[in-house]
Amino acid sequence: MNEYLDLFGTFAKVGVMTFGGGYAMLPILQREVVEHKGWATEEELMDYFAIGQCTPGVIAVNTATFIGQKHRGWLGGIVATLGVVFPSLVIISILAGLITNFSHLAWVQNAFAGIQVCVCVLIFNAVLKLLKKSVVDKRTAAIFLIVMAGSLFLHISPVWFVVVSAVAGILLKNLEERAAK
Amino acid sequence: MTYLRLFWEFFKTGLFAVGGGMATVPFLKNIGLATGWYSQTDLMNMLAVSESTPGPIGINMATYVGFTVAGIPGAVIATIGEVTPSIIVILIVAAMLTKFRNSKYVENAFYGLRPASSGLIGAACAGVVLQVLLRVTSTAVPDSLFMRFSWDGTVSWMGLALAAVLLVLTNWVKLTKKWHPIVFIGLSAAVGVVFRFGGV
């Protein structure tokens, strides 16, 4: 039982200290999980993190599940994940309640209008960063442009774009290999 | 019924959003359009708060959206919905780790998935830039495949100016580009209050 509490507590701590995206979490995981607890080696952590980035879902959650299950099996994976999301649940619920109560104030509305401009720039920067890693040749550039235009102008669930492009990736690579032979 | 729908929508988000918290934004946008639970402006405010508080962005967003839709139970259900596919997928992957790492199919699928994920976030970005800076709103038309765009004839010049300054500060100024997003969010809030960005 204590082992599970320890998992929950450690990952709750990681959740509180992760400020921003999944990448901000890596140095904190290194200190807490590798150095303090010894639940994974440095190499294992890098592997989990790499897989966490390319499997569906939030990177922080994927990595937590991985480390938890390695330490204590599937239940450990679930406990570690609950730990990493727990601080978000508490903090955001309190903040959301507060913001709802103050949102009629003029200065709050003006502040959020300013913040919205910042959000535009932050998302734009995130796209630039992702582009460098995902668009590696003409074909991936075409997939990017088609999906972007399709998602902007059409009212379809993003799920379809994800499924179709995964299949397209497999087909394109297969064709390439056949052409090489 | 709302709880069930909330769980299902976030389950789909968790299953198909590849590449971290930002990748969930296009899915959340789609949920808002399809259900009418919150507007695109609400979503942007939620994203700003999620970036400025502790915790992974994707989880903060799920909690916030869930809270907006159905209070604290909603926050819990949306978050659990979003992490459930992660847990299932990771437990499966962990059981066949070496097979997964060396699989040609997985690698090739991601060759197509990665640019698609960037494209989805790119479209979400274009959507918010259109709405916030150029005042072009997009709405879903019932029974139509296409989105409808409408423009009120004005442009937010102050917003464009602030965006240009932020773009330079976050990308090209050596001193400031390493700063945490929360600093820029705070600065933008102050500018918004001083120059009455909300028009009130």
Side-chain angles (χ1 to χ4, degrees), chain B residues 101-136:
Chain B
R101 217 180 317 178
N102 300 328
S103 164
K104 261 234 133 62
Y105 280 108
V106 171
E107 194 188 310
N108 293 348
F110 277 102
Y111 172 78
L113 262 179
R114 271 186 225 110
S117 187
S118 304
L120 287 175
I121 305 174
C125 175
V128 297
V129 167
L130 281 173
Q131 187 180 341
V132 173
L133 302 177
L134 305 176
R135 306 249 167 87
V136 174

mmCIF file of all heavy atoms in Angstrom, chain B residues 101-136:
data_model
loop_
_atom_site.group_PDB
_atom_site.id
_atom_site.type_symbol
_atom_site.label_atom_id
_atom_site.label_comp_id
_atom_site.label_asym_id
_atom_site.label_seq_id
_atom_site.Cartn_x
_atom_site.Cartn_y
_atom_site.Cartn_z
ATOM 1 N N ARG B 101 9.184 -0.794 -30.625
ATOM 2 C CA ARG B 101 10.266 0.109 -31.023
ATOM 3 C C ARG B 101 10.817 -0.233 -32.411
ATOM 4 O O ARG B 101 11.252 0.625 -33.140
ATOM 5 C CB ARG B 101 11.385 0.052 -29.979
ATOM 6 C CG ARG B 101 12.010 1.396 -29.767
ATOM 7 C CD ARG B 101 13.110 1.354 -28.737
ATOM 8 N NE ARG B 101 12.742 0.542 -27.581
ATOM 9 C CZ ARG B 101 13.562 0.328 -26.557
ATOM 10 N NH1 ARG B 101 14.770 0.835 -26.556
ATOM 11 N NH2 ARG B 101 13.181 -0.409 -25.543
ATOM 12 N N ASN B 102 10.793 -1.546 -32.746
ATOM 13 C CA ASN B 102 11.372 -1.938 -34.027
ATOM 14 C C ASN B 102 10.343 -2.097 -35.140
ATOM 15 O O ASN B 102 10.693 -2.499 -36.242
ATOM 16 C CB ASN B 102 12.138 -3.259 -33.863
ATOM 17 C CG ASN B 102 13.255 -3.118 -32.843
ATOM 18 O OD1 ASN B 102 13.836 -2.044 -32.700
ATOM 19 N ND2 ASN B 102 13.538 -4.190 -32.125
ATOM 20 N N SER B 103 9.090 -1.789 -34.853
ATOM 21 C CA SER B 103 8.054 -2.021 -35.858
ATOM 22 C C SER B 103 8.116 -1.004 -36.997
ATOM 23 O O SER B 103 8.100 0.208 -36.773
ATOM 24 C CB SER B 103 6.669 -1.957 -35.208
ATOM 25 O OG SER B 103 5.694 -1.812 -36.214
ATOM 26 N N LYS B 104 8.171 -1.530 -38.221
ATOM 27 C CA LYS B 104 8.181 -0.674 -39.406
ATOM 28 C C LYS B 104 6.840 0.035 -39.562
ATOM 29 O O LYS B 104 6.776 1.189 -39.945
ATOM 30 C CB LYS B 104 8.448 -1.529 -40.657
ATOM 31 C CG LYS B 104 9.890 -1.467 -41.087
ATOM 32 C CD LYS B 104 10.056 -1.052 -42.542
ATOM 33 C CE LYS B 104 11.105 0.023 -42.700
ATOM 34 N NZ LYS B 104 12.423 -0.407 -42.271
ATOM 35 N N TYR B 105 5.765 -0.703 -39.257
ATOM 36 C CA TYR B 105 4.425 -0.130 -39.414
ATOM 37 C C TYR B 105 4.222 1.089 -38.519
ATOM 38 O O TYR B 105 3.706 2.109 -38.951
ATOM 39 C CB TYR B 105 3.353 -1.187 -39.116
ATOM 40 C CG TYR B 105 3.131 -2.108 -40.272
ATOM 41 C CD1 TYR B 105 3.553 -3.418 -40.239
ATOM 42 C CD2 TYR B 105 2.501 -1.625 -41.417
ATOM 43 C CE1 TYR B 105 3.373 -4.255 -41.319
ATOM 44 C CE2 TYR B 105 2.305 -2.453 -42.508
ATOM 45 C CZ TYR B 105 2.740 -3.766 -42.454
ATOM 46 O OH TYR B 105 2.543 -4.577 -43.524
ATOM 47 N N VAL B 106 4.663 0.944 -37.272
ATOM 48 C CA VAL B 106 4.502 2.055 -36.326
ATOM 49 C C VAL B 106 5.299 3.259 -36.822
ATOM 50 O O VAL B 106 4.803 4.386 -36.899
ATOM 51 C CB VAL B 106 4.970 1.633 -34.908
ATOM 52 C CG1 VAL B 106 5.001 2.840 -33.983
ATOM 53 C CG2 VAL B 106 4.057 0.561 -34.355
ATOM 54 N N GLU B 107 6.539 3.005 -37.216
ATOM 55 C CA GLU B 107 7.405 4.082 -37.684
ATOM 56 C C GLU B 107 6.811 4.782 -38.910
ATOM 57 O O GLU B 107 6.774 6.010 -38.987
ATOM 58 C CB GLU B 107 8.781 3.489 -38.028
ATOM 59 C CG GLU B 107 9.871 4.503 -38.201
ATOM 60 C CD GLU B 107 11.134 3.850 -38.739
ATOM 61 O OE1 GLU B 107 11.541 2.814 -38.160
ATOM 62 O OE2 GLU B 107 11.666 4.329 -39.734
ATOM 63 N N ASN B 108 6.305 3.989 -39.861
ATOM 64 C CA ASN B 108 5.741 4.554 -41.088
ATOM 65 C C ASN B 108 4.436 5.307 -40.831
ATOM 66 O O ASN B 108 4.172 6.333 -41.444
ATOM 67 C CB ASN B 108 5.495 3.456 -42.120
ATOM 68 C CG ASN B 108 6.789 2.849 -42.609
ATOM 69 O OD1 ASN B 108 7.865 3.383 -42.359
ATOM 70 N ND2 ASN B 108 6.705 1.717 -43.293
ATOM 71 N N ALA B 109 3.644 4.779 -39.895
ATOM 72 C CA ALA B 109 2.399 5.472 -39.558
ATOM 73 C C ALA B 109 2.730 6.858 -39.005
ATOM 74 O O ALA B 109 2.073 7.847 -39.342
ATOM 75 C CB ALA B 109 1.598 4.668 -38.550
ATOM 76 N N PHE B 110 3.778 6.924 -38.194
ATOM 77 C CA PHE B 110 4.124 8.217 -37.606
ATOM 78 C C PHE B 110 4.731 9.178 -38.611
ATOM 79 O O PHE B 110 4.651 10.395 -38.448
ATOM 80 C CB PHE B 110 5.043 8.031 -36.392
ATOM 81 C CG PHE B 110 4.250 7.729 -35.166
ATOM 82 C CD1 PHE B 110 4.148 6.438 -34.682
ATOM 83 C CD2 PHE B 110 3.561 8.739 -34.524
ATOM 84 C CE1 PHE B 110 3.369 6.156 -33.588
ATOM 85 C CE2 PHE B 110 2.787 8.470 -33.429
ATOM 86 C CZ PHE B 110 2.691 7.166 -32.954
ATOM 87 N N TYR B 111 5.279 8.634 -39.675
ATOM 88 C CA TYR B 111 5.765 9.485 -40.769
ATOM 89 C C TYR B 111 4.608 10.337 -41.314
ATOM 90 O O TYR B 111 4.778 11.501 -41.637
ATOM 91 C CB TYR B 111 6.359 8.583 -41.849
ATOM 92 C CG TYR B 111 6.739 9.274 -43.130
ATOM 93 C CD1 TYR B 111 7.923 10.005 -43.207
ATOM 94 C CD2 TYR B 111 5.935 9.190 -44.262
ATOM 95 C CE1 TYR B 111 8.275 10.638 -44.371
ATOM 96 C CE2 TYR B 111 6.284 9.819 -45.438
ATOM 97 C CZ TYR B 111 7.458 10.537 -45.488
ATOM 98 O OH TYR B 111 7.803 11.171 -46.651
ATOM 99 N N GLY B 112 3.410 9.727 -41.394
ATOM 100 C CA GLY B 112 2.238 10.464 -41.855
ATOM 101 C C GLY B 112 1.528 11.224 -40.742
ATOM 102 O O GLY B 112 0.976 12.293 -40.955
ATOM 103 N N LEU B 113 1.568 10.639 -39.538
ATOM 104 C CA LEU B 113 0.848 11.238 -38.398
ATOM 105 C C LEU B 113 1.431 12.562 -37.949
ATOM 106 O O LEU B 113 0.696 13.491 -37.641
ATOM 107 C CB LEU B 113 0.925 10.283 -37.207
ATOM 108 C CG LEU B 113 -0.250 9.371 -36.959
ATOM 109 C CD1 LEU B 113 0.023 8.484 -35.759
ATOM 110 C CD2 LEU B 113 -1.488 10.221 -36.685
ATOM 111 N N ARG B 114 2.761 12.639 -37.910
ATOM 112 C CA ARG B 114 3.394 13.836 -37.350
ATOM 113 C C ARG B 114 3.028 15.101 -38.129
ATOM 114 O O ARG B 114 2.585 16.071 -37.519
ATOM 115 C CB ARG B 114 4.917 13.643 -37.273
ATOM 116 C CG ARG B 114 5.335 13.011 -35.973
ATOM 117 C CD ARG B 114 6.837 12.936 -35.823
ATOM 118 N NE ARG B 114 7.198 11.617 -35.334
ATOM 119 C CZ ARG B 114 7.820 10.690 -36.046
ATOM 120 N NH1 ARG B 114 8.201 10.936 -37.278
ATOM 121 N NH2 ARG B 114 8.090 9.529 -35.518
ATOM 122 N N PRO B 115 3.192 15.127 -39.465
ATOM 123 C CA PRO B 115 2.786 16.347 -40.178
ATOM 124 C C PRO B 115 1.288 16.621 -40.080
ATOM 125 O O PRO B 115 0.872 17.783 -40.081
ATOM 126 C CB PRO B 115 3.208 16.084 -41.625
ATOM 127 C CG PRO B 115 3.423 14.625 -41.734
ATOM 128 C CD PRO B 115 3.817 14.147 -40.367
ATOM 129 N N ALA B 116 0.469 15.541 -39.960
ATOM 130 C CA ALA B 116 -0.977 15.758 -39.832
ATOM 131 C C ALA B 116 -1.292 16.451 -38.510
ATOM 132 O O ALA B 116 -2.108 17.376 -38.449
ATOM 133 C CB ALA B 116 -1.723 14.425 -39.918
ATOM 134 N N SER B 117 -0.608 16.017 -37.465
ATOM 135 C CA SER B 117 -0.808 16.632 -36.158
ATOM 136 C C SER B 117 -0.398 18.108 -36.202
ATOM 137 O O SER B 117 -1.100 18.975 -35.673
ATOM 138 C CB SER B 117 0.008 15.865 -35.109
ATOM 139 O OG SER B 117 -0.288 16.330 -33.822
ATOM 140 N N SER B 118 0.742 18.385 -36.870
ATOM 141 C CA SER B 118 1.164 19.786 -37.034
ATOM 142 C C SER B 118 0.127 20.576 -37.818
ATOM 143 O O SER B 118 -0.151 21.736 -37.511
ATOM 144 C CB SER B 118 2.498 19.874 -37.780
ATOM 145 O OG SER B 118 3.476 19.131 -37.118
ATOM 146 N N GLY B 119 -0.442 19.938 -38.861
ATOM 147 C CA GLY B 119 -1.448 20.604 -39.692
ATOM 148 C C GLY B 119 -2.695 20.963 -38.889
ATOM 149 O O GLY B 119 -3.251 22.047 -39.049
ATOM 150 N N LEU B 120 -3.110 20.044 -38.010
ATOM 151 C CA LEU B 120 -4.292 20.311 -37.175
ATOM 152 C C LEU B 120 -4.032 21.491 -36.243
ATOM 153 O O LEU B 120 -4.874 22.381 -36.096
ATOM 154 C CB LEU B 120 -4.654 19.074 -36.341
ATOM 155 C CG LEU B 120 -5.274 17.893 -37.084
ATOM 156 C CD1 LEU B 120 -5.456 16.712 -36.150
ATOM 157 C CD2 LEU B 120 -6.611 18.293 -37.688
ATOM 158 N N ILE B 121 -2.852 21.506 -35.633
ATOM 159 C CA ILE B 121 -2.538 22.613 -34.721
ATOM 160 C C ILE B 121 -2.366 23.906 -35.531
ATOM 161 O O ILE B 121 -2.766 24.985 -35.092
ATOM 162 C CB ILE B 121 -1.278 22.304 -33.880
ATOM 163 C CG1 ILE B 121 -1.454 20.979 -33.145
ATOM 164 C CG2 ILE B 121 -1.017 23.413 -32.873
ATOM 165 C CD1 ILE B 121 -0.226 20.508 -32.411
ATOM 166 N N GLY B 122 -1.803 23.773 -36.747
ATOM 167 C CA GLY B 122 -1.665 24.934 -37.633
ATOM 168 C C GLY B 122 -3.023 25.545 -37.963
ATOM 169 O O GLY B 122 -3.182 26.777 -37.962
ATOM 170 N N ALA B 123 -4.015 24.684 -38.208
ATOM 171 C CA ALA B 123 -5.357 25.191 -38.520
ATOM 172 C C ALA B 123 -5.973 25.862 -37.296
ATOM 173 O O ALA B 123 -6.610 26.916 -37.412
ATOM 174 C CB ALA B 123 -6.258 24.045 -38.996
ATOM 175 N N ALA B 124 -5.742 25.275 -36.114
ATOM 176 C CA ALA B 124 -6.252 25.890 -34.883
ATOM 177 C C ALA B 124 -5.619 27.261 -34.702
ATOM 178 O O ALA B 124 -6.279 28.234 -34.315
ATOM 179 C CB ALA B 124 -5.951 25.002 -33.675
ATOM 180 N N CYS B 125 -4.323 27.339 -35.023
ATOM 181 C CA CYS B 125 -3.596 28.605 -34.920
ATOM 182 C C CYS B 125 -4.179 29.632 -35.881
ATOM 183 O O CYS B 125 -4.482 30.768 -35.500
ATOM 184 C CB CYS B 125 -2.121 28.358 -35.216
ATOM 185 S SG CYS B 125 -1.148 29.860 -35.268
ATOM 186 N N ALA B 126 -4.374 29.226 -37.143
ATOM 187 C CA ALA B 126 -4.954 30.140 -38.140
ATOM 188 C C ALA B 126 -6.329 30.614 -37.680
ATOM 189 O O ALA B 126 -6.676 31.792 -37.815
ATOM 190 C CB ALA B 126 -5.054 29.439 -39.495
ATOM 191 N N GLY B 127 -7.100 29.698 -37.089
ATOM 192 C CA GLY B 127 -8.436 30.039 -36.593
ATOM 193 C C GLY B 127 -8.397 31.122 -35.529
ATOM 194 O O GLY B 127 -9.155 32.083 -35.593
ATOM 195 N N VAL B 128 -7.490 30.985 -34.548
ATOM 196 C CA VAL B 128 -7.463 31.990 -33.487
ATOM 197 C C VAL B 128 -6.876 33.306 -33.976
ATOM 198 O O VAL B 128 -7.311 34.377 -33.559
ATOM 199 C CB VAL B 128 -6.718 31.512 -32.204
ATOM 200 C CG1 VAL B 128 -7.420 30.329 -31.585
ATOM 201 C CG2 VAL B 128 -5.276 31.227 -32.452
ATOM 202 N N VAL B 129 -5.904 33.241 -34.895
ATOM 203 C CA VAL B 129 -5.346 34.484 -35.441
ATOM 204 C C VAL B 129 -6.437 35.239 -36.213
ATOM 205 O O VAL B 129 -6.615 36.449 -36.058
ATOM 206 C CB VAL B 129 -4.131 34.192 -36.357
ATOM 207 C CG1 VAL B 129 -3.747 35.426 -37.165
ATOM 208 C CG2 VAL B 129 -2.946 33.731 -35.523
ATOM 209 N N LEU B 130 -7.205 34.517 -37.021
ATOM 210 C CA LEU B 130 -8.310 35.135 -37.759
ATOM 211 C C LEU B 130 -9.290 35.805 -36.804
ATOM 212 O O LEU B 130 -9.703 36.944 -36.999
ATOM 213 C CB LEU B 130 -9.051 34.085 -38.589
ATOM 214 C CG LEU B 130 -8.409 33.654 -39.898
ATOM 215 C CD1 LEU B 130 -9.180 32.495 -40.510
ATOM 216 C CD2 LEU B 130 -8.356 34.817 -40.883
ATOM 217 N N GLN B 131 -9.623 35.081 -35.740
ATOM 218 C CA GLN B 131 -10.658 35.582 -34.837
ATOM 219 C C GLN B 131 -10.179 36.760 -33.984
ATOM 220 O O GLN B 131 -10.842 37.787 -33.902
ATOM 221 C CB GLN B 131 -11.134 34.451 -33.925
ATOM 222 C CG GLN B 131 -12.317 34.870 -33.079
ATOM 223 C CD GLN B 131 -12.792 33.763 -32.165
ATOM 224 O OE1 GLN B 131 -12.504 32.592 -32.377
ATOM 225 N NE2 GLN B 131 -13.519 34.131 -31.136
ATOM 226 N N VAL B 132 -8.996 36.603 -33.378
ATOM 227 C CA VAL B 132 -8.540 37.610 -32.412
ATOM 228 C C VAL B 132 -7.977 38.849 -33.111
ATOM 229 O O VAL B 132 -8.277 39.970 -32.714
ATOM 230 C CB VAL B 132 -7.468 37.001 -31.478
ATOM 231 C CG1 VAL B 132 -6.867 38.066 -30.583
ATOM 232 C CG2 VAL B 132 -8.096 35.899 -30.645
ATOM 233 N N LEU B 133 -7.184 38.656 -34.160
ATOM 234 C CA LEU B 133 -6.489 39.791 -34.759
ATOM 235 C C LEU B 133 -7.249 40.382 -35.945
ATOM 236 O O LEU B 133 -7.277 41.593 -36.138
ATOM 237 C CB LEU B 133 -5.074 39.381 -35.188
ATOM 238 C CG LEU B 133 -4.203 38.837 -34.054
ATOM 239 C CD1 LEU B 133 -2.846 38.399 -34.579
ATOM 240 C CD2 LEU B 133 -4.031 39.875 -32.949
ATOM 241 N N LEU B 134 -7.873 39.520 -36.762
ATOM 242 C CA LEU B 134 -8.541 40.023 -37.970
ATOM 243 C C LEU B 134 -10.060 40.055 -37.819
ATOM 244 O O LEU B 134 -10.771 40.443 -38.747
ATOM 245 C CB LEU B 134 -8.131 39.166 -39.179
ATOM 246 C CG LEU B 134 -6.618 39.069 -39.388
ATOM 247 C CD1 LEU B 134 -6.291 38.138 -40.540
ATOM 248 C CD2 LEU B 134 -6.005 40.440 -39.623
ATOM 249 N N ARG B 135 -10.536 39.623 -36.639
ATOM 250 C CA ARG B 135 -11.975 39.650 -36.327
ATOM 251 C C ARG B 135 -12.827 38.882 -37.341
ATOM 252 O O ARG B 135 -13.940 39.286 -37.678
ATOM 253 C CB ARG B 135 -12.476 41.107 -36.237
ATOM 254 C CG ARG B 135 -11.695 41.961 -35.266
ATOM 255 C CD ARG B 135 -12.521 42.321 -34.048
ATOM 256 N NE ARG B 135 -11.725 42.879 -32.965
ATOM 257 C CZ ARG B 135 -11.417 44.173 -32.844
ATOM 258 N NH1 ARG B 135 -11.825 45.040 -33.735
ATOM 259 N NH2 ARG B 135 -10.711 44.600 -31.821
ATOM 260 N N VAL B 136 -12.269 37.795 -37.833
ATOM 261 C CA VAL B 136 -13.036 36.920 -38.720
ATOM 262 C C VAL B 136 -13.482 35.712 -37.893
ATOM 263 O O VAL B 136 -12.645 34.986 -37.378
ATOM 264 C CB VAL B 136 -12.179 36.447 -39.913
ATOM 265 C CG1 VAL B 136 -12.945 35.432 -40.752
ATOM 266 C CG2 VAL B 136 -11.751 37.623 -40.757
#
